[in-house]
Amino acid sequence: MRARIRLLGDDLLLRLEGEEESDAGRFPLTEATLARLREWTSRYRRSVRADDPSSLAAIGAELVAWLDAAGGMTRWLRGTGERWLEVAVDHGGTEAAAALLDLPWEVLARGGDFLAADPTQPFLVFRGLARGANARPASPAHRDLALMFMAASPRGQRELDFEAEEAAILQATARLPLQVVVEESGCGAFLKDRLAREGPFDSVHLSCHGDLLPNGDPVLALESPEGELALVSPGDLVAILGEEKAALVFLSACRTAEAKAETSAAMRESFVRAMVRAGVANAVGWDGSVYDSDAILFAEVFYKELAEQASVPYAAARARCQVLREHRQDPRRGRHWHLARVYAGPLGAGPLCDRAKPKRSLRRDAGYKEFLDAAQRRVPVATARTFVGRRREAQAVLRAFRERRGAGALLLGMGDLGKSSLAARIANRLPGHQTVVVYERYDALAIFDQLVSALPGRERIEWNRLWRPAIAERGARLGEALEDLLKGPFDHHPILLIIDDLERILEPPAPEEEASPVREAPGAAEAWRESLAAVLRAFRVAETDSRLLLTSRFPFRLPDGRGGDLAAGLERVSLRAMEEKERGKQWRAAARAAGEALLNPGEEEAVLVQRALVAAGGFPGLQELLCRPLLAGEVVVAGAAIEAVERWRASGEAPAEGNAAEEFFQRVCFQTYRDALSANQRTQLRATTLFAESLPVPLAALEAAGCALGVDDPAAALTRLLSLGLVEDWGMLRSVAHGAANPLARSLLPGALAPEEEKRLAAAAVAPLAQAWRDASGDFPPDLQAVEAARLALIGGAAAEVLEPAALAAGSFLFRALHDARAALAILEPARLQLEERGCGATPGLLLLASNCAERIGESALRLALLEKGLALKEGRRVEQAQLLAVHAEATLGRDGPEQALERLRQAATVFEEEGAVRERAVTMGKIADVLQQRGESEEALRIRREEELPV
């Protein structure tokens, strides 16, 4: 049964398919009626904001009862088949239209349950714009569905689980005709190029943050070419989509279907509504903030249905029903089942593919095999479901390819950091390129054979006849053959040539070498130097769309015979150990692939998971090994492996034979790294262990620590450690070069720094660290950097002008952001004592924060002592002194009585008023009202609350 709600003049009409409009219901939209519609929407939004779904069914039932005044809804509900409901307006620029579109039609309910919950009669609800009574969806052009997927994760923003969303779509449609192309950059300009070059696509799916600006304008948080935040408006996105727009735009971002309630109807337009107004046939977004897990599950079911030729409203209905079902099975999941909104234009609300139409010839799941070299089943890599992170590194390689920098790109990193898996990911991001993998054999004939295997059958014979005998006789001829291939067949059908695990043919790294030379091959037929030189030269001179990617544990050099280095022409991209959030994402991806129940392990297993993530140190290969027994339910085996790695990290003692972690130590030979270091370089590496694990610090601070430990040339030693990946390069942060010791590199050095060494190194390092991290006013940022700065300042006995602001920023971060009062006080109290010992004294701000921490953990005596120390100070900002006075009044209320408390609070309120501290004055007036209430002066307390608190 189909129902259609639309506006006609000042009336709302409910029409059932096959019936006259007057038969179903006609509702005059008076001011009272509009106010009622807006009240339903307000109640709904309050419920969503409060994360309280209890009132949703009541709102849905009231909407149904209102529309059923003439019995039309009852007839609709008694019909058979899917329940279609279209909410149609000619445009959204009137109050009536805006009120109609804002209503939460998705929560319609009858008989105590949501219509969306019925899997037998799916509830297909969508909002239509400019759709006449005879609107018909456009006919699909193909049998399969082409999807362009792009996630955006700008630096400094909370990272979404976009890998899981992409993997869920791939998994759900693995056996269905869905072609997924991924734009890795997160950048609108690059997406525009891909759409123009490789389109048309049926759907464009953007996974990112969304928001409403203070004026109500909706925006998406995409990335600039450099990975920074770039806000994109609806007009910007329309320009990105181009003239030939996709039939569906899915904005998997918070608030993309939400319109700011406080703005006028003419200005109140959501992002997805703007897309439909711009000519997109179908648009899907979220009417509020949505959990990652809910968005992922919705997208998974939605695209599965679309790939099975379902219409967009039907696919959304099935997805909504499934998310609601998940919510009823586990209240922690699926809470936002009702937030997805489907909008359709005149050509929308239909399917996007048709089994009667021809199929595209697009490449499917490039690089997403169990092996990088799928043809020969070599080089196991992370699958689409388990690959996470490495976004910045992938972007750097693709940017180098896009800008044609040098001969190609070189992925560098220690073993088991995931270089081969990243290479496979990059191959997936180049669907127009055929992947050719060189692995284990690097001689000219082996490379040529792999290249020729990428040609069609007929051409292979001809190219083998032309070049194979010449290359067998002289390997350098590979360069000429490759140049011909790049100008010929690989110009029309480009390749991505991946030379994997290049360290197999490199000399072991030596202390005196900045880069390892390519080894002499054992025989003339395996001349590795000439074959690699031939490849590098060919890609350097060829004007081609084909690309070259190499992976290696160590940097290498390859003389060109004229005083140059062929390897210098490669764009170097170094892999770091994964950060904490990426480690968690890797575990969740592995658990999800093994079974959803494993996402919520028991208490014992959860502790082991956390230990495994810490012990692995951000090495994906080691983490996979440690977590594999946990996923198989082998808790004892997992515990033994984790304990062995923890012991190794503390003492350098490798696990015994038969341990689950043994495989890692066979793959990653740490002795090679030990042998690669001079005494000077080992000392510099030891100096880096002063700093917190995985926290980047200025290279100048690392050098200062090395110098304090006796390193002759710390800059040169640090350069060598960076080239080997033992110190990880974090690039420029706040315009200063940063680095951090690789977490597992610490195990190369037996024994920790002695306390006297720590004190000497911290004293030397804190000055360059403070110079890099403090702002123009001398303050540290309230984050982990401040915590590290305060720790080192305390150890090294830093000057008061460094110690005090560092401790204050660290305490503020730990107390306010992490809600860890005990950790905050563990920094603030030693800092106060050090400052007092030097005769400086702590500032009122530090004492006030320390007193708040003491109160939080129940240290009442310490709290009072700190407050009285602050009040005894003769210097300090008036606002801080007044804050101390107000808090002291509250702390001593029971001891000194209400009269003194009121006097102190009124003094503080006067200072706040004089200094323009509006919020502080409002809080203090509230405290005054509380004291008056306790004293029985209820009327005066109520007057203060009305006149002082509420207006603020």
Side-chain angles (χ1 to χ4, degrees):
M1 180 70 79
R2 290 177 179 257
R4 193 165 190 260
I5 297 172
R6 70 184 185 92
L7 295 175
L8 183 64
D10 293 329
D11 292 347
L12 181 148
L13 300 180
L14 171 64
R15 180 189 180 203
L16 303 185
E17 188 176 90
E19 299 185 23
E20 295 298 326
E21 294 174 351
S22 57
D23 291 342
R26 189 179 187 115
F27 306 87
L29 291 178
T30 63
E31 266 307 315
T33 303
L34 287 175
R36 189 179 184 191
L37 301 187
R38 287 192 285 264
E39 174 57 24
W40 274 320
T41 301
S42 296
R43 282 170 56 195
Y44 172 74
R45 294 207 184 285
R46 287 196 297 272
S47 175
V48 171
R49 282 196 298 270
D51 208 11
D52 176 20
S54 59
S55 63
L56 297 182
I59 296 171
E62 289 169 26
L63 278 168
V64 169
W66 171 63
L67 288 172
D68 200 32
M73 289 298 286
T74 296
R75 293 199 299 277
W76 178 65
L77 290 166
R78 288 174 179 171
T80 59
E82 295 90 6
R83 291 167 172 154
W84 284 76
L85 176 62
E86 178 183 359
V87 180
V89 300
D90 292 335
H91 61 86
T94 67
E95 285 297 331
L100 204 60
L101 295 174
D102 288 345
L103 280 170
W105 301 103
E106 287 71 14
V107 301
L108 290 190
R110 186 68 176 261
D113 201 3
F114 300 106
L115 303 187
D118 188 349
T120 306
Q121 286 187 281
F123 176 36
L124 282 61
V125 56
F126 68 98
R127 292 157 177 78
L129 293 183
R131 289 169 53 86
N134 298 316
R136 292 291 179 270
S139 177
H142 296 95
R143 182 173 64 193
D144 52 346
L145 187 68
L147 166 65
M148 170 61 81
F149 181 101
M150 186 176 85
S153 182
R155 288 190 184 91
Q157 305 296 308
R158 184 179 66 82
E159 190 168 291
L160 300 169
D161 203 356
F162 48 82
E163 296 103 337
E165 189 166 2
E166 176 190 346
I169 295 170
L170 290 170
Q171 178 72 15
T173 61
R175 302 182 187 279
L176 296 171
L178 175 68
Q179 310 268 7
V180 181
V181 175
V182 180
E183 169 54 38
E184 188 73 44
S185 69
C187 173
F190 299 145
L191 175 62
K192 179 179 175 67
D193 292 344
R194 290 288 296 275
L195 292 173
R197 187 170 66 247
E198 300 174 28
F201 290 89
D202 302 306
S203 175
V204 173
H205 185 102
L206 300 181
S207 179
C208 59
H209 286 295
D211 206 352
L212 300 179
L213 297 179
N215 64 359
D217 290 346
V219 291
L220 295 178
L222 299 189
E223 298 181 45
S224 71
E226 296 75 30
E228 302 299 331
L229 174 64
L231 295 181
V232 169
S233 68
D236 296 331
L237 185 55
V238 169
I240 290 167
L241 296 173
E243 186 176 9
E244 192 172 3
K245 298 175 181 63
L248 166 67
V249 172
F250 192 148
L251 302 180
S252 188
C254 295
R255 310 188 74 181
T256 44
E258 182 182 344
K260 194 172 179 68
E262 292 80 5
T263 54
S264 67
M267 303 290 291
R268 196 158 79 237
E269 182 175 59
S270 67
F271 213 123
V272 289
R273 202 183 93 195
M275 291 298 98
V276 173
R277 188 166 60 84
V280 174
N282 304 274
V284 179
W286 295 95
D287 192 5
S289 297
V290 60
Y291 292 159
D292 268 7
S293 56
D294 296 356
I296 290 166
L297 178 58
F298 186 93
E300 180 181 355
V301 179
F302 179 74
Y303 280 107
K304 181 179 184 296
E305 295 291 341
L306 284 184
E308 292 177 336
Q309 287 86 41
S311 69
V312 174
Y314 183 91
R318 282 297 185 190
R320 193 177 291 115
C321 181
Q322 182 60 36
V323 180
L324 176 54
R325 184 181 305 163
E326 288 279 336
H327 177 56
R328 288 180 168 173
Q329 292 173 354
D330 182 355
R332 295 171 297 181
R333 293 169 54 82
R335 298 179 72 88
H336 299 139
W337 62 267
H338 48 86
L339 283 177
R341 301 288 185 263
V342 177
Y343 277 73
L347 300 178
L352 303 187
C353 53
D354 184 345
R355 64 176 56 90
K357 297 298 174 65
K359 185 180 180 181
R360 292 178 177 85
S361 56
L362 286 179
R363 190 175 173 207
R364 183 183 176 85
D365 291 355
Y368 275 149
K369 311 298 179 185
E370 292 182 0
F371 299 87
L372 175 59
D373 186 1
Q376 300 186 41
R377 297 187 63 78
R378 302 182 302 174
V379 195
V381 298
T383 64
R385 294 195 74 189
T386 58
F387 187 96
V388 301
R390 302 305 182 207
R391 181 175 180 77
R392 298 301 173 208
E393 294 91 339
Q395 288 177 337
V397 171
L398 293 170
R399 188 180 304 118
F401 286 169
R402 188 169 50 244
E403 297 173 2
R404 300 178 183 273
R405 296 183 193 167
L410 172 62
L411 287 177
L412 288 168
M414 296 177 71
D416 261 28
L417 276 177
K419 297 183 294 297
S420 297
S421 292
L422 177 56
R425 182 79 159 190
I426 290 166
N428 174 264
R429 290 353 189 187
L430 297 171
H433 291 64
Q434 184 168 351
T435 304
V436 177
V437 180
V438 173
Y439 175 71
E440 289 185 334
R441 284 192 58 194
Y442 305 91
D443 57 277
L445 269 183
I447 295 174
F448 178 75
D449 289 343
Q450 288 294 96
L451 291 166
V452 171
S453 69
L455 297 171
R458 252 180 261 173
E459 292 185 38
R460 289 179 209 160
I461 299 172
E462 182 62 21
W463 281 90
N464 274 318
R465 185 186 64 79
L466 281 174
W467 286 106
R468 204 173 195 283
I471 294 170
E473 183 179 339
R474 183 166 172 262
R477 299 294 300 277
L478 172 66
E480 300 167 44
L482 182 51
E483 285 185 42
D484 273 4
L485 284 165
L486 292 173
K487 292 175 184 176
F490 293 159
D491 188 38
H492 303 295
H493 302 287
I495 63 166
L496 171 64
L497 175 59
I498 299 177
I499 301 179
D500 197 40
D501 276 9
L502 192 67
E503 71 274 359
R504 289 169 175 266
I505 59 170
L506 301 182
E507 295 285 358
E512 66 278 1
E513 297 277 3
E514 289 188 13
S516 299
V518 179
R519 283 197 283 128
E520 289 278 6
E526 297 179 347
W528 294 325
R529 291 179 183 174
E530 67 180 15
S531 62
L532 187 56
V535 170
L536 293 177
R537 285 193 177 100
F539 273 92
R540 185 177 64 181
V541 301
E543 292 291 330
T544 176
D545 285 334
S546 292
R547 295 291 181 262
L548 172 65
L549 178 63
L550 303 94
T551 76
S552 177
R553 296 186 182 185
F554 317 116
F556 73 97
R557 57 182 174 84
L558 186 60
D560 62 2
R562 288 174 277 182
D565 180 9
L566 291 169
L570 295 169
E571 180 79 7
R572 290 188 180 187
V573 177
S574 297
L575 272 64
R576 301 195 301 261
M578 293 198 306
E579 297 179 57
E580 184 179 356
K581 59 187 176 184
E582 292 176 322
R583 302 176 198 183
K585 287 171 75 172
Q586 182 188 343
W587 159 256
R588 289 193 297 275
R592 194 179 291 114
E596 291 287 333
L598 293 168
L599 285 169
N600 298 301
E603 185 176 343
E604 182 183 1
E605 290 83 356
V607 171
L608 285 175
V609 168
Q610 190 55 42
R611 283 177 59 195
L613 269 55
V614 173
F619 277 62
L622 179 56
Q623 181 171 315
E624 190 272 332
L625 282 173
L626 295 179
C627 292
R628 190 189 299 165
L630 285 170
L631 296 172
E634 300 171 349
V635 176
V636 175
V637 174
I642 294 166
E643 185 178 344
V645 173
E646 290 171 339
R647 190 185 313 115
W648 166 72
R649 292 192 61 180
S651 66
E653 178 189 342
E657 187 175 343
N659 189 280
E662 182 188 4
E663 184 182 335
F664 170 75
F665 293 91
Q666 292 173 347
R667 292 199 300 250
V668 185
C669 184
F670 285 94
Q671 188 59 46
T672 303
Y673 289 97
R674 288 191 185 93
D675 296 342
L677 299 178
S678 67
N680 220 33
Q681 292 158 5
R682 280 195 293 272
T683 304
Q684 178 61 53
L685 181 59
R686 188 163 179 263
T688 65
T689 64
L690 167 73
F691 302 94
E693 185 175 302
S694 301
L695 180 71
V697 297
L699 295 187
L702 294 174
E703 292 176 15
C707 189
L709 201 57
V711 179
D712 294 335
D713 187 351
L718 200 54
T719 299
R720 176 63 173 154
L721 294 172
L722 285 163
S723 72
L724 290 172
L726 299 176
V727 171
E728 298 175 335
D729 185 359
W730 282 74
M732 304 296 285
L733 304 177
R734 297 179 183 152
S735 303
V736 176
H738 279 62
N742 181 289
L744 298 193
R746 296 167 180 255
S747 61
L748 300 177
L749 305 167
L753 291 169
E756 62 273 11
E757 289 178 316
E758 282 194 333
K759 183 174 182 179
R760 186 169 74 252
L761 270 60
V766 76
L769 185 145
Q771 184 177 358
W773 288 354
R774 294 171 78 177
D775 59 23
S777 61
D779 293 328
F780 286 87
D783 56 21
L784 287 173
Q785 289 182 332
V787 176
E788 179 68 353
R791 185 182 73 87
L792 294 175
L794 286 168
I795 293 172
E801 56 267 23
V802 172
L803 175 59
E804 196 277 335
L808 186 59
S812 178
F813 171 70
L814 292 168
F815 180 69
R816 296 193 173 96
L818 300 189
H819 309 291
D820 191 341
R822 197 171 298 278
L825 193 59
I827 288 176
L828 294 167
E829 186 62 1
R832 177 186 70 83
L833 293 173
Q834 277 199 24
L835 291 168
E836 288 180 356
E837 285 173 7
R838 299 178 204 167
C840 306
T843 61
L846 189 147
L847 291 167
L848 179 63
L849 180 58
S851 73
N852 289 337
C853 294
E855 179 195 16
R856 181 77 58 85
I857 63 175
E859 295 282 354
S860 303
L862 177 59
R863 178 198 185 198
L864 194 56
L866 291 167
L867 290 171
E868 290 176 349
K869 279 183 178 292
L871 290 174
L873 295 175
K874 303 302 181 185
E875 297 179 359
R877 293 173 56 238
R878 290 188 74 210
V879 168
E880 290 178 340
Q881 290 283 359
Q883 287 174 322
L884 282 165
L885 187 62
V887 174
H888 184 262
E890 188 179 15
T892 56
L893 176 62
R895 186 191 72 183
D896 298 343
E899 289 301 326
Q900 285 199 38
L902 283 172
E903 182 181 348
R904 290 165 182 162
L905 288 169
R906 285 167 177 151
Q907 289 176 15
T910 301
V911 174
F912 292 142
E913 185 170 13
E914 292 171 354
E915 295 293 324
V918 178
R919 180 185 179 281
E920 287 78 2
R921 182 180 184 278
V923 171
T924 305
M925 295 305 295
K927 291 178 179 178
I928 290 172
D930 289 340
V931 176
L932 291 171
Q933 185 78 34
Q934 291 177 31
R935 209 165 63 167
E937 299 180 36
S938 302
E939 286 192 21
E940 180 63 10
L942 184 60
R943 183 193 67 78
I944 290 174
R945 294 192 194 283
R946 284 175 176 167
E947 297 181 10
E948 301 291 347
E949 285 195 277
L950 293 182
V952 173

